[in-house]
């Protein structure tokens, strides 16, 4: 394998949640694979994923022995995604679930068989079973290509964010306020739990309690890679930072629709904590830079360099261009809550698991990574490779 001395620096990969927006992360990872020399080792010995980011994290970690092939395969899966590969979207299933919820509300929850979730994500489980080989995780760890994979889930009973990690010997668990790191043999149930948006997808039982989407309680998304030994952290976000314009004086402002509110909540859950944690990391780094050598010896602190890649375009606008790709049954459901209007673009952007939309996000991620190739490669401690194929195989 081809390594440079700088490659020995441990780079942690942080993949936050984002629903269908996680296709952007796959595009960035594909670009990184193209930039690295052929045969280069996995550049991310420590990988942490949450919610949809957990899918990408498990995929890349499981292919740590063949990083380029794994990144290309992941991109191909996203390029060929459809809603019916994530949740049951046929008209009968959607109507049946809607009626079940209506009867539950009318009966004040007295029905013994109350619905578990709004959508059935059984298709997602079957899709992941086809493409993620969890046995390869330990093989990669034993071969030295991977230090650890961390998947964060939110416990409904304990009300804590639990980071389940599988890694090399010597890694130590951690315990902080309402969050802890716990060794485990990562399996599909951990991924399903981490992606289980409340009310939308059913919770998954792990051990003694049920777990939901890892973003809910993850106050410190950078924490897992730091605890697991990372010296640098590459964060692939799924939101650009272009704030909405305030209404003009005297402009009529409509009352927010359910779709707009839902999109706002998803945005808070998936993205706000990662930026807050990055600000916290910068403050700690600044503090460390002002400490004397003696103070550094007394304090268990270390500087963690961070690099963040985020979309260069407004993903909400991309979602609007592709909203007709939704199955008719889903469009009817979203139209009822205002999700198809411009104000509902945020919700659309998280739920639009359709090929055309995800392919555009893949290409955006690839373009954004290639635009800062020199900086990215320097951060990873790697040399450049020529070429790169933008095609994806069909019917993955």
């Amino acid at each position: 394998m081809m390594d440079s001395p700088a490659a020995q620096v441990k780079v942690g990969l942080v993949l936050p949640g984002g629903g269908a927006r996680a296709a952007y992360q796959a595009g960035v990872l594909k670009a990184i694979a193209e930039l690295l020399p052929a045969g280069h080792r996995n550049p991310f010995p420590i990988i942490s994923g949450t919610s949809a980011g957990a899918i990408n994290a498990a995929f890349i970690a499981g292919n740590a022995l063949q990083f380029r092939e794994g990144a290309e395969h992941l991109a191909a899966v996203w390029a060929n995604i459809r809603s019916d590969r994530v949740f049951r979207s046929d008209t009968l299933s959607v109507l049946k679930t809607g009626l079940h919820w209506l009867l539950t509300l009318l009966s004040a929850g007295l029905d013994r068989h109350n619905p578990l979730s709004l959508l059935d994500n059984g298709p997602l489980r079957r899709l992941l079973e086809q493409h993620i080989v969890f046995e390869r995780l330990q093989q990669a760890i034993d071969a030295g290509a991977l230090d650890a994979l961390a998947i964060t889930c939110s416990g409904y009973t304990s009300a804590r964010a639990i980071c389940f990690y599988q890694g090399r010997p010597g890694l130590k668990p951690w315990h902080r306020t309402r969050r802890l790191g716990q060794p485990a043999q990562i399996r599909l149930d951990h991924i399903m739990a981490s992606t289980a948006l409340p009310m939308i997808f059913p919770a998954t039982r792990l051990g003694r309690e049920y777990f939901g989407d890892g973003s809910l309680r993850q106050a410190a998304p950078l924490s897992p890679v730091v605890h697991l030994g990372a010296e640098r952290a590459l964060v692939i976000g799924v939101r650009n930072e272009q704030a909405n314009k305030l209404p003009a004086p005297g402009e009529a402002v409509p009352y927010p629709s359910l779709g707009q509110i839902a999109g706002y909540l998803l945005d808070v859950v998936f993205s706000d904590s990662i930026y807050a944690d990055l600000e916290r990391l910068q403050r700690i780094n600044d503090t460390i830079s002002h400490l004397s050598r003696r103070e550094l010896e007394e304090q268990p602190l270390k500087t963690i360099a961070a690099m963040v890649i985020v979309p260069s375009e407004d993903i909400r606008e991309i979602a609007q261009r592709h909203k007709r790709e939704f199955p008719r049954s889903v469009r009817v459901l979203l139209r009822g809550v205002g999700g198809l209007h411009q104000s509902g673009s945020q919700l659309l952007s998280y739920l639009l698991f359709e090929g055309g939309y995800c392919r555009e996000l893949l290409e955006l991620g690839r373009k954004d990574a290639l635009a800062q190739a020199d900086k990215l490669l320097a951060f990873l401690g790697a040399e450049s490779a020529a070429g790169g194929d933008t095609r994806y195989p069909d019917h993955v």
Side-chain angles (χ1 to χ4, degrees):
M1 293 187 179
M2 299 175 61
D3 290 324
S4 62
Q8 301 304 314
V9 175
K10 291 186 183 295
V11 181
L13 176 63
V14 181
L15 300 173
R21 290 188 181 200
Y24 176 84
Q25 297 173 346
V28 173
L29 291 167
K30 186 176 188 296
I32 291 173
E34 294 171 3
L35 289 168
L36 294 175
H40 195 282
R41 67 184 298 168
N42 166 37
F44 307 110
I46 302 160
I47 302 175
S48 174
T50 305
S51 194
I55 296 174
N56 294 340
F59 211 110
I60 293 299
N63 287 277
L65 289 169
Q66 308 89 22
F67 175 73
R68 176 174 291 189
E69 291 82 355
E72 291 174 348
H73 189 182
L74 176 63
V77 171
W78 278 105
N80 292 279
I81 201 71
R82 298 192 311 266
S83 292
D84 60 8
R85 291 186 176 185
V86 179
F87 54 85
R88 294 187 62 179
S89 59
D90 58 282
T91 302
L92 181 60
S93 295
V94 172
L95 284 175
K96 184 178 178 181
T97 301
L99 288 173
H100 197 173
W101 276 97
L102 179 60
L103 290 174
T104 298
L105 292 172
L106 292 175
S107 66
L110 296 178
D111 189 339
R112 292 190 304 171
H113 303 287
N114 291 329
L116 299 178
S117 62
L118 183 61
L119 297 173
D120 177 359
N121 62 349
L124 176 62
R125 175 178 284 273
R126 292 188 288 273
L127 177 69
L128 299 183
E129 285 175 339
Q130 295 171 11
H131 293 287
I132 301 179
V133 183
F134 288 90
E135 290 76 12
R136 292 178 181 171
L137 287 174
Q138 193 59 47
Q139 294 173 10
I141 292 168
D142 293 340
L146 181 71
D147 277 10
L149 167 66
I151 302 296
T152 300
C153 309
S154 298
Y156 282 122
T157 300
S158 63
R160 293 181 298 185
I162 299 184
C163 175
F164 297 98
Y165 66 88
Q166 182 174 344
R168 61 174 174 76
L171 296 175
K172 297 181 180 180
W174 63 91
H175 194 174
R176 300 291 184 270
T177 303
R178 290 197 179 275
R179 55 187 174 91
L180 59 87
Q182 178 177 310
Q185 182 175 349
I186 302 297
R187 59 186 193 276
L188 183 55
D189 281 345
H190 292 93
I191 312 302
M192 297 303 295
S194 189
T195 59
L197 270 172
M199 308 294 289
I200 306 297
F201 294 139
T204 299
R205 182 161 184 167
L206 298 170
R208 293 178 291 173
E209 64 177 316
Y210 283 92
F211 287 84
D213 196 290
S215 301
L216 295 172
R217 287 260 178 201
Q218 193 177 40
L222 299 178
S223 173
V225 298
V226 174
H227 280 289
L228 294 171
E231 299 162 295
R232 300 178 183 176
L234 176 66
V235 180
I236 307 179
V238 294
R239 183 182 74 184
N240 62 18
E241 289 304 288
Q242 300 172 11
N244 294 336
K245 294 181 179 179
L246 287 172
E251 179 182 345
V253 180
Y255 192 83
S257 66
L258 289 177
Q260 183 177 358
I261 294 172
Y264 181 92
L265 290 175
L266 289 178
D267 193 52
V268 170
V269 168
F270 287 141
S271 295
D272 281 8
S273 60
I274 190 71
Y275 293 106
D277 208 22
L278 284 166
E279 291 176 359
R280 187 183 304 116
L281 177 68
Q282 185 59 54
R283 289 196 299 270
I284 293 174
N285 286 343
D286 290 343
T287 299
I288 293 174
S289 68
H290 290 89
L291 295 179
S292 66
R293 179 175 296 181
R294 179 179 178 180
E295 289 172 322
L296 286 174
E297 292 174 352
E298 296 174 350
Q299 297 290 336
L301 298 174
K302 63 178 180 179
T303 299
I304 305 293
M307 178 176 178
V308 185
I309 299 179
V310 295
S312 59
E313 299 178 22
D314 194 330
I315 291 184
R316 296 169 298 184
E317 294 179 1
I318 299 174
Q320 276 293 319
R321 294 199 293 268
H322 293 275
K323 63 184 178 182
R324 301 289 307 173
E325 294 180 24
F326 265 131
R328 187 173 185 276
S329 58
V330 180
R331 291 203 308 271
V332 170
L333 182 64
L334 288 173
R335 186 178 294 113
V337 297
L340 296 183
H341 299 154
Q342 187 68 34
S343 63
S345 296
Q346 218 156 23
L347 178 62
L348 279 180
S349 69
Y350 289 115
L351 301 182
L352 194 49
F353 292 96
E354 297 294 340
Y357 170 67
C358 290
R359 282 190 291 272
E360 188 164 349
L361 293 189
L362 281 165
E363 293 304 332
L364 178 61
R366 181 177 181 274
K367 181 189 75 172
D368 288 347
L370 294 178
Q372 44 189 323
D374 291 343
K375 179 181 178 182
L376 184 55
L377 287 170
F379 188 81
L380 298 177
E383 299 174 354
S384 179
D389 189 353
T390 62
R391 296 173 296 174
Y392 308 105
D394 295 330
H395 310 302
V396 173

